[in-house]
PDB file of all heavy atoms in Angstrom:
ATOM      1  N   CYS A 141       3.719  -3.769   0.287  1.00  0.00           N
ATOM      2  CA  CYS A 141       4.557  -4.704  -0.432  1.00  0.00           C
ATOM      3  C   CYS A 141       4.200  -6.268  -0.241  1.00  0.00           C
ATOM      4  O   CYS A 141       4.111  -6.992  -1.102  1.00  0.00           O
ATOM      5  CB  CYS A 141       6.101  -4.558  -0.118  1.00  0.00           C
ATOM      6  SG  CYS A 141       6.468  -4.505   1.656  1.00  0.00           S
ATOM      7  N   VAL A 144       0.643  -6.952  -1.751  1.00  0.00           N
ATOM      8  CA  VAL A 144       0.468  -7.188  -3.148  1.00  0.00           C
ATOM      9  C   VAL A 144       1.287  -8.521  -3.566  1.00  0.00           C
ATOM     10  O   VAL A 144       0.799  -9.101  -4.447  1.00  0.00           O
ATOM     11  CB  VAL A 144       1.223  -5.978  -4.014  1.00  0.00           C
ATOM     12  CG1 VAL A 144       2.831  -5.978  -3.938  1.00  0.00           C
ATOM     13  CG2 VAL A 144       0.688  -5.907  -5.319  1.00  0.00           C
ATOM     14  N   CYS A 145       2.380  -8.868  -2.707  1.00  0.00           N
ATOM     15  CA  CYS A 145       2.988 -10.106  -3.045  1.00  0.00           C
ATOM     16  C   CYS A 145       2.112 -11.269  -2.644  1.00  0.00           C
ATOM     17  O   CYS A 145       2.094 -12.303  -3.399  1.00  0.00           O
ATOM     18  CB  CYS A 145       4.323 -10.204  -2.110  1.00  0.00           C
ATOM     19  SG  CYS A 145       5.375 -11.411  -2.603  1.00  0.00           S
ATOM     20  N   VAL A 149       0.298 -11.280  -6.498  1.00  0.00           N
ATOM     21  CA  VAL A 149       1.242 -12.117  -7.086  1.00  0.00           C
ATOM     22  C   VAL A 149       1.180 -13.544  -6.707  1.00  0.00           C
ATOM     23  O   VAL A 149       1.380 -14.532  -7.448  1.00  0.00           O
ATOM     24  CB  VAL A 149       2.636 -11.526  -6.811  1.00  0.00           C
ATOM     25  CG1 VAL A 149       3.786 -12.367  -7.529  1.00  0.00           C
ATOM     26  CG2 VAL A 149       2.888 -10.045  -7.194  1.00  0.00           C
ATOM     27  N   ALA A 151       3.144 -14.876  -4.387  1.00  0.00           N
ATOM     28  CA  ALA A 151       4.500 -15.513  -4.065  1.00  0.00           C
ATOM     29  C   ALA A 151       4.730 -15.640  -2.619  1.00  0.00           C
ATOM     30  O   ALA A 151       5.583 -16.450  -2.246  1.00  0.00           O
ATOM     31  CB  ALA A 151       5.498 -14.589  -4.791  1.00  0.00           C
ATOM     32  N   HIS A 152       4.098 -14.820  -1.759  1.00  0.00           N
ATOM     33  CA  HIS A 152       4.288 -14.885  -0.252  1.00  0.00           C
ATOM     34  C   HIS A 152       5.814 -14.941   0.163  1.00  0.00           C
ATOM     35  O   HIS A 152       6.201 -15.688   0.843  1.00  0.00           O
ATOM     36  CB  HIS A 152       3.611 -16.237   0.329  1.00  0.00           C
ATOM     37  CG  HIS A 152       2.196 -16.363  -0.094  1.00  0.00           C
ATOM     38  ND1 HIS A 152       1.160 -15.611   0.393  1.00  0.00           N
ATOM     39  CD2 HIS A 152       1.696 -17.000  -1.111  1.00  0.00           C
ATOM     40  CE1 HIS A 152       0.024 -15.923  -0.160  1.00  0.00           C
ATOM     41  NE2 HIS A 152       0.286 -16.886  -1.168  1.00  0.00           N
ATOM     42  N   ALA A 153       6.542 -13.931  -0.418  1.00  0.00           N
ATOM     43  CA  ALA A 153       7.931 -13.957  -0.315  1.00  0.00           C
ATOM     44  C   ALA A 153       8.434 -13.121   0.923  1.00  0.00           C
ATOM     45  O   ALA A 153       9.589 -13.413   1.348  1.00  0.00           O
ATOM     46  CB  ALA A 153       8.601 -13.436  -1.685  1.00  0.00           C
ATOM     47  N   ILE A 154       7.649 -12.214   1.295  1.00  0.00           N
ATOM     48  CA  ILE A 154       8.060 -11.256   2.458  1.00  0.00           C
ATOM     49  C   ILE A 154       7.106 -11.219   3.453  1.00  0.00           C
ATOM     50  O   ILE A 154       5.863 -11.415   3.209  1.00  0.00           O
ATOM     51  CB  ILE A 154       8.488  -9.927   1.877  1.00  0.00           C
ATOM     52  CG1 ILE A 154       7.335  -9.479   0.978  1.00  0.00           C
ATOM     53  CG2 ILE A 154       9.765  -9.999   1.055  1.00  0.00           C
ATOM     54  CD1 ILE A 154       7.417  -8.109   0.442  1.00  0.00           C
ATOM     55  N   ASP A 175      11.294 -17.282  -2.308  1.00  0.00           N
ATOM     56  CA  ASP A 175      10.099 -17.417  -2.982  1.00  0.00           C
ATOM     57  C   ASP A 175       9.835 -16.133  -3.917  1.00  0.00           C
ATOM     58  O   ASP A 175       8.895 -16.179  -4.750  1.00  0.00           O
ATOM     59  CB  ASP A 175       9.012 -17.448  -2.002  1.00  0.00           C
ATOM     60  CG  ASP A 175       8.970 -18.847  -1.334  1.00  0.00           C
ATOM     61  OD1 ASP A 175       9.484 -19.821  -2.040  1.00  0.00           O
ATOM     62  OD2 ASP A 175       8.603 -18.829  -0.165  1.00  0.00           O
ATOM     63  N   CYS A 176      10.624 -15.118  -3.897  1.00  0.00           N
ATOM     64  CA  CYS A 176      10.501 -13.988  -4.721  1.00  0.00           C
ATOM     65  C   CYS A 176      10.878 -14.379  -6.149  1.00  0.00           C
ATOM     66  O   CYS A 176      11.871 -14.842  -6.533  1.00  0.00           O
ATOM     67  CB  CYS A 176      11.518 -12.809  -4.140  1.00  0.00           C
ATOM     68  SG  CYS A 176      11.646 -11.433  -5.315  1.00  0.00           S
ATOM     69  N   ILE A 177       9.916 -13.963  -6.993  1.00  0.00           N
ATOM     70  CA  ILE A 177      10.003 -14.275  -8.475  1.00  0.00           C
ATOM     71  C   ILE A 177      10.530 -13.064  -9.207  1.00  0.00           C
ATOM     72  O   ILE A 177      10.579 -13.022 -10.523  1.00  0.00           O
ATOM     73  CB  ILE A 177       8.696 -14.789  -9.037  1.00  0.00           C
ATOM     74  CG1 ILE A 177       7.624 -13.720  -9.088  1.00  0.00           C
ATOM     75  CG2 ILE A 177       8.239 -16.070  -8.452  1.00  0.00           C
ATOM     76  CD1 ILE A 177       6.274 -13.933  -9.806  1.00  0.00           C
ATOM     77  N   GLY A 178      10.829 -11.950  -8.422  1.00  0.00           N
ATOM     78  CA  GLY A 178      11.403 -10.851  -9.195  1.00  0.00           C
ATOM     79  C   GLY A 178      10.397 -10.017  -9.940  1.00  0.00           C
ATOM     80  O   GLY A 178      10.949  -9.205 -10.874  1.00  0.00           O
ATOM     81  N   CYS A 179       9.163 -10.055  -9.723  1.00  0.00           N
ATOM     82  CA  CYS A 179       8.280  -9.336 -10.651  1.00  0.00           C
ATOM     83  C   CYS A 179       8.282  -7.850 -10.531  1.00  0.00           C
ATOM     84  O   CYS A 179       7.865  -7.121 -11.301  1.00  0.00           O
ATOM     85  CB  CYS A 179       6.772  -9.827 -10.384  1.00  0.00           C
ATOM     86  SG  CYS A 179       6.274  -9.409  -8.631  1.00  0.00           S
ATOM     87  N   GLY A 180       8.725  -7.441  -9.330  1.00  0.00           N
ATOM     88  CA  GLY A 180       8.798  -5.946  -9.109  1.00  0.00           C
ATOM     89  C   GLY A 180       7.579  -5.212  -8.692  1.00  0.00           C
ATOM     90  O   GLY A 180       7.458  -3.964  -8.561  1.00  0.00           O
ATOM     91  N   ALA A 181       6.496  -6.008  -8.445  1.00  0.00           N
ATOM     92  CA  ALA A 181       5.221  -5.385  -8.081  1.00  0.00           C
ATOM     93  C   ALA A 181       5.305  -4.610  -6.702  1.00  0.00           C
ATOM     94  O   ALA A 181       4.783  -3.491  -6.581  1.00  0.00           O
ATOM     95  CB  ALA A 181       4.093  -6.529  -7.882  1.00  0.00           C
ATOM     96  N   CYS A 182       6.137  -5.201  -5.759  1.00  0.00           N
ATOM     97  CA  CYS A 182       6.286  -4.484  -4.495  1.00  0.00           C
ATOM     98  C   CYS A 182       7.214  -3.251  -4.529  1.00  0.00           C
ATOM     99  O   CYS A 182       6.875  -2.243  -3.977  1.00  0.00           O
ATOM    100  CB  CYS A 182       7.035  -5.459  -3.458  1.00  0.00           C
ATOM    101  SG  CYS A 182       8.607  -6.073  -4.069  1.00  0.00           S
ATOM    102  N   VAL A 183       8.079  -3.260  -5.526  1.00  0.00           N
ATOM    103  CA  VAL A 183       8.892  -2.038  -5.806  1.00  0.00           C
ATOM    104  C   VAL A 183       8.050  -0.918  -6.348  1.00  0.00           C
ATOM    105  O   VAL A 183       8.043   0.168  -5.903  1.00  0.00           O
ATOM    106  CB  VAL A 183       9.976  -2.296  -6.755  1.00  0.00           C
ATOM    107  CG1 VAL A 183      10.845  -1.153  -7.158  1.00  0.00           C
ATOM    108  CG2 VAL A 183      10.863  -3.438  -6.384  1.00  0.00           C
ATOM    109  N   ILE A 202      16.344  -7.474  -6.571  1.00  0.00           N
ATOM    110  CA  ILE A 202      15.334  -6.810  -5.719  1.00  0.00           C
ATOM    111  C   ILE A 202      16.056  -6.624  -4.469  1.00  0.00           C
ATOM    112  O   ILE A 202      16.322  -7.481  -3.686  1.00  0.00           O
ATOM    113  CB  ILE A 202      14.013  -7.747  -5.494  1.00  0.00           C
ATOM    114  CG1 ILE A 202      13.436  -8.214  -6.823  1.00  0.00           C
ATOM    115  CG2 ILE A 202      13.056  -6.857  -4.651  1.00  0.00           C
ATOM    116  CD1 ILE A 202      12.938  -7.118  -7.756  1.00  0.00           C
ATOM    117  N   TRP A 205      15.180  -7.378  -0.507  1.00  0.00           N
ATOM    118  CA  TRP A 205      14.908  -8.764  -0.190  1.00  0.00           C
ATOM    119  C   TRP A 205      16.213  -9.667  -0.578  1.00  0.00           C
ATOM    120  O   TRP A 205      15.917 -10.923  -0.592  1.00  0.00           O
ATOM    121  CB  TRP A 205      13.605  -9.316  -0.961  1.00  0.00           C
ATOM    122  CG  TRP A 205      12.516  -8.301  -1.027  1.00  0.00           C
ATOM    123  CD1 TRP A 205      11.787  -8.128  -2.125  1.00  0.00           C
ATOM    124  CD2 TRP A 205      11.965  -7.509   0.114  1.00  0.00           C
ATOM    125  NE1 TRP A 205      10.781  -7.131  -1.744  1.00  0.00           N
ATOM    126  CE2 TRP A 205      10.880  -6.776  -0.438  1.00  0.00           C
ATOM    127  CE3 TRP A 205      12.158  -7.366   1.437  1.00  0.00           C
ATOM    128  CZ2 TRP A 205      10.103  -5.879   0.280  1.00  0.00           C
ATOM    129  CZ3 TRP A 205      11.462  -6.518   2.181  1.00  0.00           C
ATOM    130  CH2 TRP A 205      10.442  -5.709   1.594  1.00  0.00           C
TER     131      TRP A 205
HETATM  132  S1  SF4 B 301       9.259  -8.835  -6.424  1.00  0.00           S
HETATM  133 FE1  SF4 B 301       9.336 -10.714  -5.120  1.00  0.00          FE
HETATM  134  S2  SF4 B 301       8.685  -9.822  -3.140  1.00  0.00           S
HETATM  135 FE2  SF4 B 301       8.119  -8.284  -4.718  1.00  0.00          FE
HETATM  136  S3  SF4 B 301       6.048  -8.711  -5.211  1.00  0.00           S
HETATM  137 FE3  SF4 B 301       7.320  -9.724  -6.684  1.00  0.00          FE
HETATM  138  S4  SF4 B 301       7.614 -11.879  -5.863  1.00  0.00           S
HETATM  139 FE4  SF4 B 301       6.878 -10.553  -4.174  1.00  0.00          FE
END
Side-chain angles (χ1 to χ4, degrees):
C141 53
V144 81
C145 189
V149 183
H152 309 281
I154 47 176
D175 293 328
C176 169
I177 61 170
C179 65
C182 56
V183 179
I202 309 294
W205 322 131

